[in-house]
Amino acid sequence: MTETQTINHHAPPPKQHQNGHPTAPVDDVFDATYKEKEGRRPRMQLVWRNIVLMALLHIGALYGFTLIPYAKTWTLVWTALCYVFSGLGVTAGAHRLWSHRSYKASFPLRVFLALGNSMAFQNDIYEWARDHRVHHKYSETDADPHNATRGFFFSHVGWLLVRKHPDVKEKGQKLDMSDLEEDQVVMFQRRHSLLSLVVMCFVLPTLVPWWGWGESLEVAYFLPGLFRYALQLNATWLVNSAAHMWGNRPYDVTINPRENHMVAFSAMGEGFHNYHHTFPFDYGTSEFGWRLNPTTAFIDLMCFLGFASDRKKVSKEMILARKQRTGSGSNNSD
Ligand code: ST9
Ligand code: ZN
Ligand code: ZN
């Protein structure tokens, strides 16, 4: 079945697992009953290994950037291809499929997305989705891994450089992750995460230009390897930082996430964040179809080719009703 499932109501249908393809909504609905613990936050514990590695990655990426004029044309094309492929592994894969279950994907498509996801090296899919569900459910609180009320730097990259707040783990451990535990592709990638990340994120992007068209190993490692990886990490992190701070709130003014077109462009359609936090189950993460949203176009193409199905889409009536109830009253102002 490839048709779109139009959602006209908020009440979730019952959970039904089908070979790792649950049709039901997931544990990503905002929980307004959660209250942060009284008193001071536990002291922040820096993780020096991550600080050093992240600094080295960014220095290497800047060096890669300076190599662009020396790269062969095919290496530039390959860098862009790696960006798109690994981007889809995050947007269409870890995010819209595995975190939110906003559509169903066949086994070959899940393998394709998992490979792209390994190339993106943003932890394994299971860990990504667990952090992301807890981000939606406890958004902007201590139980949100990248709580944007702690500032731009913390929500952008700082949260990856310190130990998590205990509430993230406490609340995260109560999430239902059984759908991912039943997905062989997700669990295979988690079991072999280190190997698959290293091979897909660094070895393959370096070796293909070297073998394929005689690119120097230096350019091949620093450009499609480190530069592409760091650029993509920052594009992703901007969704957690910039898109939680700057932009309009046409759907819900009571939440921080915003519509940010710059972020939508660099993150392949993931910057319509006020819409997305209001309707996390919508496969398009936006009201506007393919506009600035290549990930939606990709999912539609996969449905057309028979590799995906059951896209969940919020109805126009429901969007309008929500805009009138909680929106800012305009698409262009706060
Ligand atoms: C990266 C991820 O960059 C980026 C995610 C961004 C999300 C964006 C979302 C926006 C929407 C989509 C936009 C896509 C746009 C794409 C654009 C593409 C063009 N629940 O973590 P540990 C428990 S990664 C429940 O070590 P510490 C659990 O038992 C970059 N439980 O905690 C766990 O064990 P296990 C590369 C949880 O010690 C145990 O705690 N990676 C949860 O506090 C220990 O977990 C890095 O740079 C939870 N949520 O360490 C750093 N969390 O897993 C990698 C934890 O076995 N991370 N538990 O079950 C780390 O080194 C560490 O996590 C740490 C915290 C130091 C940050
Ligand atoms: Zn968010
Ligand atoms: Zn999300």
Side-chain angles (χ1 to χ4, degrees):
M1 186 169 87
T2 58
E3 70 268 19
T4 311
Q5 195 183 327
T6 307
I7 314 280
N8 251 315
H9 54 85
H10 276 297
K15 197 156 192 142
Q16 302 165 30
H17 289 257
Q18 302 170 351
N19 309 321
H21 294 249
T23 52
V26 287
D27 238 353
D28 59 2
V29 180
F30 182 65
D31 178 356
T33 62
Y34 164 75
K35 295 277 169 287
E36 289 177 337
K37 296 196 174 72
E38 304 267 327
R40 286 169 75 90
R41 276 202 182 105
R43 212 164 55 84
M44 213 146 59
Q45 273 179 274
L46 301 181
V47 178
W48 282 104
R49 186 192 63 135
N50 289 11
I51 294 171
V52 170
L53 288 176
M54 213 43 103
L56 289 176
L57 168 67
H58 281 79
I59 293 167
L62 282 178
Y63 180 62
F65 179 67
T66 67
L67 296 177
I68 289 176
Y70 309 102
K72 295 188 194 282
T73 307
W74 278 111
T75 306
L76 299 177
V77 172
W78 171 246
T79 303
L81 268 177
C82 288
Y83 189 92
V84 171
F85 176 48
S86 51
L88 288 172
V90 179
T91 59
H95 190 218
R96 301 189 197 185
L97 175 66
W98 282 300
S99 296
H100 294 300
R101 295 287 173 192
S102 64
Y103 68 100
K104 287 186 195 166
S106 63
F107 183 77
L109 178 56
R110 283 184 286 136
V111 171
F112 174 85
L113 292 171
L115 287 169
N117 186 270
S118 293
M119 186 180 270
F121 192 166
Q122 297 191 1
N123 303 327
D124 61 59
I125 295 163
Y126 184 90
E127 186 175 341
W128 200 105
R130 189 176 58 186
D131 277 345
H132 193 65
R133 288 180 184 180
V134 90
H135 163 65
H136 274 266
K137 192 159 181 175
Y138 303 102
S139 200
E140 326 273 29
T141 70
D142 282 339
D144 174 352
H146 30 85
N147 177 4
T149 64
R150 294 176 71 173
F152 184 94
F153 186 78
F154 181 83
S155 56
H156 194 73
V157 58
W159 67 283
L160 292 165
L161 311 178
V162 296
R163 299 275 165 222
K164 287 172 176 161
H165 190 288
D167 284 16
V168 173
K169 296 177 187 175
E170 189 192 311
K171 291 293 176 191
Q173 266 148 15
K174 294 195 177 117
L175 295 178
D176 182 1
M177 299 296 293
S178 55
D179 55 320
L180 296 190
E181 279 145 21
E182 287 168 23
D183 189 321
Q184 298 158 0
V185 176
V186 172
M187 295 322 274
F188 182 87
Q189 193 225 28
R190 183 159 164 83
R191 270 197 306 279
H192 302 285
S193 69
L194 189 62
L195 181 68
S196 71
L197 299 173
V198 171
V199 170
M200 290 303 295
C201 185
F202 302 114
V203 178
L204 188 78
T206 305
L207 291 188
V208 167
W210 183 60
W211 277 334
W213 47 92
E215 183 58 271
S216 76
L217 267 182
E218 186 190 14
V219 171
Y221 176 65
F222 282 100
L223 195 54
L226 296 198
F227 173 72
R228 183 265 320 160
Y229 176 42
L231 187 69
Q232 189 151 53
L233 282 182
N234 282 278
T236 307
W237 299 338
L238 282 172
V239 181
N240 298 333
S241 54
H244 270 254
M245 289 170 195
W246 302 306
N248 304 324
R249 291 181 285 184
Y251 309 97
D252 194 338
V253 274
T254 68
I255 59 175
N256 268 337
R258 301 170 189 239
E259 302 289 285
N260 187 309
H261 291 178
M262 287 273 289
V263 175
F265 174 75
S266 57
M268 294 172 55
E270 299 283 17
F272 305 98
H273 217 46
N274 190 252
Y275 183 92
H276 176 57
H277 271 263
T278 309
F279 305 113
F281 45 86
D282 187 314
Y283 88 99
T285 70
S286 138
E287 192 184 347
F288 303 110
W290 294 3
R291 195 194 304 172
L292 282 180
N293 206 330
T295 302
T296 301
F298 172 78
I299 297 170
D300 289 345
L301 175 68
M302 288 302 110
C303 281
F304 178 74
L305 296 176
F307 290 111
S309 64
D310 296 87
R311 288 158 291 182
K312 293 188 193 135
K313 187 86 207 129
V314 184
S315 71
K316 287 282 171 208
E317 298 76 44
M318 190 165 152
I319 295 172
L320 189 65
R322 184 61 187 256
K323 273 177 154 173
Q324 285 168 348
R325 192 161 61 82
T326 57
S328 59
S330 145
N331 276 333
N332 304 312
S333 73
D334 241 9

